[in-house]
Amino acid sequence: MMRALALAFALIRLAGGFPGGSTGDKASLRPGDFVLVKTLTAAGASGWTDTGLEVRAGEEFWFEASGTICLQTGNEEAYCGPEGIQVRTMQQPLPESNLGCLVGRVLREVVIVEDPKTKEKTVREYGVAFPIGKAGPAVIPADGRLFLGPNENVTGDNDGAFAVRVYRRG
Ligand SMILES: [Ca+2]
């Protein structure tokens, strides 16, 4: 299994790169327009890390991230920084961005659904993800609570962490 995934990584690398990181017209924004509001560590294995920040759609943020995570412990091909790996899989929140790159997610709603027969409760989260990468501005896509994590859905086998500085428009 590990070997198969390593091979998949290698093959996709050969197939060429993908765009990752940032989007949109950000040329007019400068770091000096922002105020540092949070410094946190987003562990690769934690999935989404809560920033504790409530955000609104259209707000402008600036992010700076460093550190290295491993997307599959033991796989030499699976290390990356906040810019991620130039790989695309079906198992990532943002399919158009690099696998493992730092992404934001605004959690909009948490719904607890109860099965009418078994009475078993399931928690469903609804969020909107957006690309961050290594450093730069980002426009918040929705109202809600801001979380940060790697652009990957299978995070339980990860290692390492990103150190992230979060700046809000002053
Ligand atoms: Ca993983």
Side-chain angles (χ1 to χ4, degrees), residues 41-47 49 66-74 78-80 150 155-163:
T41 300
S46 297
T49 298
S66 60
T68 302
I69 63 171
C70 183
L71 299 175
Q72 187 182 51
T73 302
Y79 285 88
C80 69
T155 55
D157 60 349
N158 294 358
D159 199 4
F162 293 142

Side-chain angles (χ1 to χ4, degrees), residues 28-48:
S28 63
L29 295 171
R30 297 283 179 273
D33 297 332
F34 298 83
V35 176
L36 180 66
V37 290
K38 197 84 184 180
T39 301
L40 63 98
T41 300
S46 297
W48 299 111

Side-chain angles (χ1 to χ4, degrees), residues 133-150:
K134 190 174 175 60
V139 176
I140 299 298
D143 293 354
R145 181 102 162 191
L146 178 62
F147 289 73
L148 302 177

Side-chain angles (χ1 to χ4, degrees), residues 20-24 26-27 29-31 34 61-67 81-84 98 100-104 130-139 148 162-167:
S22 55
T23 57
K26 299 165 174 176
L29 295 171
R30 297 283 179 273
F34 298 83
F61 276 67
W62 185 282
F63 296 92
E64 289 174 1
S66 60
E83 70 282 359
N98 285 350
C101 77
L102 180 66
V103 300
F130 60 98
I132 294 175
K134 190 174 175 60
V139 176
L148 302 177
F162 293 142
V164 190
R165 293 160 70 87
V166 183
Y167 299 77

